[in-house]
Amino acid sequence: MIVELISVGTEILLGNIVNTNAAYLSEKCALLGLSLYYETSVGDNEKRLEETLKTALGRSDVVILSGGLGPTQDDLTKETAARVMGKKLVEDKHSRELIEEYFKNSSMKKITENNWKQAMVPEGCIVVDNHNGTAPGIIMEENGKSVILLPGPPNELKPMFEHDIFPYLNRKRPEVIYSVMVKLCGVGESAVETQIKDLIDSQTNPTIATYAKTGEVHLRVTASAPDEKEAKRLIKPMVKELKNRFGNAIYTMDEQVTLEQAVLQMMRARELTLTTAESVTGGMLAARLTNVPGSSDVFKQGLVTYCNRAKRKLLDVKKTTLKDYGAVSEKTAKEMAKNGAFITGSDVCISLTGLAGPAAEEDKPVGLVYMACSYRGKITVKEFHFKGERAKIRESAVVKALTMLRECILEEES
């Protein structure tokens, strides 16, 4: 089954927003085993949108449009799609009630007249409730073709797709698609690809797809079968082989679990407490950890010691250390981790100090980062050289720090 994506909105063409919806929908279509050959972005122009949709219907079985379902005059997606599909618009009473309920529970009590436009739907369509906004989703079916309209805001589009559209598309497939995500950290993309090249070269069903993330590699193992039970049976040997090859580098096989969640789960299971001592990352590591619900039972404190005075005052880093070795040094990182654990009474303290740029310092290049992990008195220090712009270096350092935390705990137990 061939699917095509159309993203509607002049703001996308102008570069005012990043089109994250297309990336999300592409990944989900791949997960469903759908063939995606074309992705198009078109502005809020009725004629061009109509031409784009007609072209898409001529070559694809399913066309998914995102954006342009709102209350304003330039929201033309629904009207244009209905006309192309030969359907007139009628009011959907249920959608009108949901719009009333939405405004009743919001700070904007008054409903302007243009909002009722969103309750108008193509006659005979499948209406998909929007529990996070006002514009419902729409599915139109005609002559073996499906046109799916989704709201543009990601916080509306994603829940709607997960809850309603994904199952709808899965039902249209002759076979069930089932997949498992194997997430790795501490091993590079090229190394992963080398280790599984033989599996990729010989793959049929199931298949393996690799996704490179910052400091991580994700492997999606996907199988198609008449039912889920058979698909799981096909996947099991492949997953077992990946476990044999990558061992502890696999931090989770739950697609919803992030690296920081996995680290916190590991520490919680061992009843460990954690402190972070950050310089170069300025609290980014603590922010990722505390973004996880329930992290307070592991995470005790985050210390951001950006200047030398803060390192001396809050982490008791010696003045002679900073003078003789500098803030960006193995010695400083070691004292930050050791003293951070002692001062806060934590089992573990991870420290980061480095240069994110744009300027280098003497013999210390941009991207140089030292990390130290104090784990119940044992201190491990590592030197890293990250590439990219300032933001990329800081992001890479945070991910590496999470990986280092895992490794220090696992090494201690081995």
Side-chain angles (χ1 to χ4, degrees):
M1 187 163 60
I2 300 172
V3 66
E4 185 161 342
L5 304 182
I6 299 175
S7 303
V8 184
T10 303
E11 66 275 12
I12 295 173
L13 298 178
L14 294 175
N16 292 334
I17 64 169
V18 177
N19 190 3
T20 57
N21 286 341
Y24 168 81
L25 292 171
S26 297
E27 185 176 356
K28 293 301 179 181
C29 288
L31 175 59
L32 283 161
L34 303 175
S35 299
L36 178 61
Y37 298 146
Y38 301 96
E39 287 182 6
T40 306
S41 294
V42 60
D44 300 306
N45 180 280
E46 202 168 354
K47 182 180 179 181
R48 287 192 287 273
L49 176 56
E50 182 174 335
E51 292 172 352
T52 302
L53 180 54
K54 285 180 177 178
T55 299
L57 286 169
R59 62 195 180 191
S60 302
D61 303 303
V62 178
V63 183
I64 303 175
L65 298 94
S66 59
L69 299 184
T72 61
Q73 287 186 343
D74 61 349
D75 289 313
L76 303 165
T77 301
K78 178 175 55 187
E79 292 77 4
T80 304
R83 186 170 62 253
V84 171
M85 297 292 282
K87 297 179 182 294
K88 66 178 183 179
L89 295 176
V90 295
E91 185 179 77
D92 179 59
K93 292 183 179 179
H94 178 63
S95 293
R96 185 182 178 98
E97 290 171 359
L98 288 179
I99 293 170
E100 288 179 334
E101 186 69 21
Y102 180 87
F103 277 95
K104 181 180 178 181
N105 295 322
S106 74
S107 58
M108 301 173 290
K109 302 298 181 183
K110 185 178 180 181
I111 307 176
T112 56
E113 192 62 30
N114 57 355
N115 276 287
W116 302 125
K117 171 191 172 189
Q118 296 170 105
M120 302 297 291
V121 302
E123 191 172 28
C125 74
I126 300 171
V127 180
V128 182
D129 291 346
N130 185 347
H131 300 291
N132 299 281
T134 52
I138 291 166
I139 301 173
M140 289 182 279
E141 299 175 323
E142 194 74 32
N143 300 323
K145 305 279 186 175
S146 295
V147 174
I148 301 172
L149 311 183
L150 298 173
N155 68 314
E156 298 177 31
L157 178 145
K158 291 181 179 180
M160 186 180 292
F161 189 91
E162 295 284 351
H163 188 266
D164 297 286
I165 308 304
F166 190 100
Y168 168 80
L169 292 173
N170 206 19
R171 287 194 298 270
K172 292 180 73 66
R173 290 185 43 78
E175 291 187 316
V176 168
I177 297 294
Y178 182 82
S179 69
V180 171
M181 183 71 88
V182 180
K183 296 186 178 183
L184 301 92
C185 64
V187 56
E189 181 188 11
S190 58
V192 170
E193 186 178 22
T194 300
Q195 285 185 252
I196 63 171
K197 189 176 185 303
D198 60 316
L199 300 178
I200 293 175
D201 290 344
S202 61
Q203 68 183 356
T204 51
N205 185 26
T207 59
I208 303 178
T210 60
Y211 302 89
K213 309 290 182 180
T214 300
E216 300 181 42
V217 179
H218 297 177
L219 303 175
R220 185 183 293 283
V221 185
T222 305
S224 60
D227 55 58
E228 187 173 303
K229 183 178 179 180
E230 177 62 14
K232 287 180 177 179
R233 188 191 68 79
L234 291 170
I235 281 177
K236 191 174 181 179
M238 183 69 79
V239 171
K240 183 179 179 181
E241 182 60 27
L242 292 175
K243 287 181 178 178
N244 289 336
R245 296 190 185 195
F246 294 107
N248 283 336
I250 299 174
Y251 72 84
T252 188
M253 289 176 52
D254 185 336
E255 187 165 2
Q256 304 306 316
V257 173
T258 62
L259 180 55
E260 52 268 33
Q261 283 177 297
V263 169
L264 288 168
Q265 287 171 3
M266 172 187 284
M267 300 189 75
R268 187 178 293 112
R270 293 159 177 79
E271 297 183 346
L272 297 171
T273 54
L274 172 66
T275 289
T276 57
E278 301 179 67
S279 180
V280 62
T281 45
M284 291 172 62
L285 175 58
R288 276 190 63 163
L289 289 164
T290 55
N291 195 46
V292 178
S295 58
S296 59
D297 57 357
V298 173
F299 186 74
K300 292 191 73 170
Q301 192 168 343
L303 299 167
V304 179
T305 55
Y306 211 62
C307 67
N308 285 353
R309 186 168 180 266
K311 290 179 180 67
R312 294 198 310 270
K313 184 176 180 180
L314 299 178
L315 288 170
D316 204 22
V317 176
K318 295 176 183 176
K319 190 174 183 178
T320 53
T321 297
L322 294 168
K323 181 180 178 181
D324 296 342
Y325 299 94
V328 182
S329 65
E330 180 179 329
K331 186 80 169 172
T332 297
K334 184 176 181 179
E335 289 186 23
M336 288 172 67
K338 178 183 177 182
N339 298 344
F342 177 77
I343 291 167
T344 62
S346 293
D347 299 305
V348 185
C349 180
I350 184 89
S351 68
L352 306 91
T353 181
L355 289 171
E361 290 181 7
E362 298 178 359
D363 296 331
K364 298 175 181 178
V366 170
L368 171 64
V369 176
Y370 289 97
M371 296 183 200
C373 180
S374 174
Y375 179 72
R376 288 179 170 167
K378 181 181 177 181
I379 300 176
T380 303
V381 187
K382 292 185 179 181
E383 176 182 320
F384 299 99
H385 292 266
F386 299 111
K387 303 296 182 183
E389 299 296 325
R390 181 179 177 86
K392 182 68 174 179
I393 289 170
R394 282 154 54 92
E395 182 185 1
S396 298
V398 169
V399 177
K400 185 59 71 174
L402 290 167
T403 302
M404 187 173 172
L405 270 171
R406 281 189 79 247
E407 292 173 344
C408 286
I409 296 168
L410 292 170
E411 285 172 8
E412 189 65 22
E413 295 178 348
S414 61

